[in-house]
Amino acid sequence: MIAKERVKALAQEIGFHACGVTLPKSIPEAEETFEAWRKQGKHGEMKYLEDYQVRRKQFWGRFSQARSVIVLGVNYFSSQTVPGTVAKKGTDYSLSPFSVARNVPGTDSNLTGRIARYAWGRDYHQVISERLELLKTRLRQEVGRELFFESAVDTKPLLERTLAQRAGLGFMGKQTQLLSLQFGPWLFLAELITDLELEPDQPFQGSCGTCRLCIDECPTDAIDESGTIDARICIAYLTIEHKGEIPEALRPKIGNWVFGCDECLNVCPYTAKQKETSWEELKAQEGFGPELHLLELFEIKSNGAYEKHFSESPISRANRKQLLRNACVVLGNLGREEATPYLKKALEDSSDLVREYAEWAIKRIQERKKGINLFHPSSV
Ligand code: B12
């Protein structure tokens, strides 16, 4: 036997920032929310979520020996400042280029796109899995017998935020992230399902109250009043998970996000709880950091070269043509003419999608120029 407090102390020694325990059982209210969301098609093209309900049942069914779920949180906040501004709701980017990018004529140094903070460092799936292995070893040593473990980081058919709320790590914010009183929304979640009998923690009770900053500030209005997301119009989904066309009306709203989006996390008052992560692997210098130089991306000519370039980064979740599509959208939104020669070269890219978006971006830059002449005559 091992006491829950000892498990938590070991998790902390290994570097986890939060740890709680809950029971390995289904959570009907959350599952109903999930199914209703999926039936409305709000998961978009994320096929892996379509049979989630069935896979989740099979998942728990395979582990009849499971007695507890140890839920772990990893603070991934890294404080490097992000140049450039964000896609502000209500701004018409076709008319106001300076709200998106600093305009330094004659240099391409700020032809960059923003990366969501979760992807600044090394791929968290790999990094967290390594520490979960350490925790398993320490627990086995401590208990002195073989133990059953099944670990999960993001990819297993589990409702990770609901499990974390049950295990006392925080509460579900209106932007649908688990909010921790210690770390705000900047926690990755992971689980160890085990046959250890541990006393469950009390679920965390909390709410956003009347705050609705995330709902109001989401550039695409993706957050529902009832606290779910319409993934089909969420910038994180569009730039990471979505493989094909981005509806034209949404492209300007993407602003300068080239991979993921943090708008609803950045505006959250709980962001004030942020602390620098103690995990070096998750810091900006271990990966691509807060922004990508967009023109350089066009130098990556093959899928193989792309996969190699991003192999250690969460950015590898998107493929080459998706990321180049996103780069074209951002370049169109930035409206800087220095990008046009690069975009013209991209008109010969091997991917139809990239060629199409390069064409769109070239047109948009031209339109933007007309817009500047019309509305900002002093700025040309
Ligand atoms: C699919 C997915 C996405 C999709 C859909 C997002 C979403 N909100 O569902 C997309 C691609 C858009 C996405 C984006 C992001 N994601 Co994501 N994503 C997931 C994934 C794989 C599944 C989420 C899921 O089940 N969605 C289904 C819908 C129905 O969930 P929901 O609307 O929030 O409703 C749930 C809860 O709110 C709750 N609930 C709602 N109402 C009620 C009512 C009651 C009574 C109860 C009890 C519960 C309850 O139950 C529902 C089911 O869990 C999880 C990993 C996992 N396996 O859990 C990571 C995860 C949620 N993502 C994560 C992260 C970090 C992000 C991003 C911040 C990355 C980025 N910067 O680009 C953004 C944030 C965008 C946002 N505001 O959600 C983290 C969140 C960590 C945290 N602190 O919460 C997770 C947990 C991954 C991880 N292991 O760390 N993601």
Side-chain angles (χ1 to χ4, degrees):
M1 273 304 283
I2 181 167
K4 177 175 69 181
E5 284 62 37
R6 183 67 190 138
V7 173
K8 290 188 179 182
L10 288 174
Q12 198 183 8
E13 264 175 42
I14 288 165
F16 288 101
H17 302 103
C19 177
V21 174
T22 189
L23 293 171
K25 59 172 198 177
S26 66
I27 306 159
E29 314 91 280
E31 284 172 11
E32 275 164 31
T33 309
F34 180 92
E35 268 308 281
W37 177 80
R38 190 192 59 78
K39 283 188 182 141
Q40 287 164 9
K42 291 187 177 173
H43 62 299
E45 274 177 7
M46 293 183 286
K47 294 265 176 257
Y48 65 93
L49 294 176
E50 279 175 10
D51 58 351
Y52 221 51
Q53 189 84 326
V54 178
R55 280 169 51 221
R56 196 164 43 242
K57 270 201 190 115
Q58 287 168 348
F59 182 83
W60 288 122
R62 286 204 337 259
F63 307 125
S64 53
Q65 68 275 56
R67 292 290 170 271
S68 313
V69 184
I70 305 171
V71 185
L72 299 140
V74 177
N75 168 28
Y76 66 88
F77 189 85
S78 181
S79 66
Q80 185 159 343
T81 52
V82 185
T85 48
V86 296
K88 271 276 167 259
K89 183 124 168 233
T91 305
D92 181 350
Y93 288 102
S94 62
L95 305 179
S96 133
F98 303 108
S99 53
V100 187
R102 294 163 299 155
N103 199 335
V104 186
T107 165
D108 65 5
S109 64
N110 56 0
L111 282 173
T112 54
R114 296 181 71 185
I115 305 175
R117 191 173 257 113
Y118 92 100
W120 288 7
R122 267 185 60 200
D123 190 341
Y124 64 99
H125 300 97
Q126 297 168 10
V127 168
I128 297 178
S129 298
E130 288 162 16
R131 305 245 189 164
L132 285 175
E133 286 306 313
L134 287 179
L135 182 57
K136 286 184 197 173
T137 306
R138 291 297 304 276
L139 285 167
R140 285 184 175 124
Q141 281 168 353
E142 193 91 6
V143 176
R145 70 167 169 93
E146 195 41 48
L147 292 172
F148 162 79
F149 287 121
E150 173 74 15
S151 43
V153 188
D154 197 29
T155 54
K156 302 274 165 76
L158 293 175
L159 302 174
E160 291 190 294
R161 293 158 298 163
T162 306
L163 288 170
Q165 184 270 335
R166 292 281 155 136
L169 266 60
F171 70 94
M172 214 73 76
K174 286 185 186 166
Q175 82 284 63
T176 79
Q177 296 287 283
L178 182 96
L179 300 180
S180 145
L181 294 195
Q182 281 87 44
F183 303 101
W186 310 104
L187 274 187
F188 286 129
L189 300 176
E191 299 76 31
L192 265 189
I193 298 155
T194 173
D195 58 352
L196 278 169
E197 298 262 5
L198 300 167
E199 186 204 339
D201 280 297
Q202 286 302 313
F204 193 97
Q205 303 302 341
S207 93
C208 297
T210 55
C211 178
R212 41 175 293 133
L213 276 172
C214 58
I215 298 175
D216 293 338
E217 294 297 320
C218 170
T220 56
D221 289 321
I223 306 173
D224 200 81
E225 298 284 334
S226 67
T228 55
I229 291 242
D230 188 343
R232 293 168 298 186
I233 55 173
C234 167
I235 296 173
Y237 166 80
L238 290 169
T239 57
I240 304 172
E241 298 290 324
H242 180 66
K243 304 268 182 284
E245 298 286 343
I246 298 177
E248 235 172 308
L250 290 176
R251 293 178 205 167
K253 297 182 179 177
I254 288 176
N256 56 356
W257 286 108
V258 71
F259 186 85
C261 174
D262 281 332
E263 299 293 349
C264 60
L265 282 74
N266 285 338
V267 298
C268 177
Y270 281 91
T271 271
K273 306 277 180 189
Q274 68 202 21
K275 294 176 182 66
E276 189 69 14
T277 181
S278 56
W279 289 30
E280 291 303 316
E281 310 95 302
L282 298 176
K283 292 188 177 170
Q285 58 271 24
E286 288 295 314
F288 289 88
E291 48 180 26
L292 284 176
H293 287 271
L294 299 173
L295 303 183
E296 286 173 14
L297 293 178
F298 292 95
E299 303 301 323
I300 306 176
K301 299 288 184 202
S302 70
N303 293 338
Y306 176 91
E307 280 154 27
K308 199 166 161 216
H309 192 70
F310 290 112
S311 64
E312 300 259 296
S313 161
I315 297 174
S316 60
R317 175 81 186 156
N319 60 29
R320 175 182 177 274
K321 63 181 182 190
Q322 277 174 281
L323 199 69
L324 289 185
R325 172 202 62 189
N326 301 347
C328 291
V329 171
V330 175
L331 287 170
N333 289 341
L334 293 174
R336 300 258 306 277
E337 282 187 299
E338 311 91 288
T340 304
Y342 294 82
L343 289 164
K344 282 191 174 156
K345 270 199 225 153
L347 292 175
E348 275 145 45
D349 196 88
S350 54
S351 150
D352 297 356
L353 193 73
V354 176
R355 292 198 301 271
E356 185 193 332
Y357 278 70
E359 200 180 331
W360 177 84
I362 293 167
K363 267 201 212 124
R364 180 137 171 87
I365 292 170
Q366 286 163 357
E367 280 167 19
R368 294 280 307 275
K369 197 171 171 223
K370 287 181 204 151
I372 295 167
N373 285 333
L374 204 54
F375 294 94
H376 299 275
S378 60
S379 64
V380 277

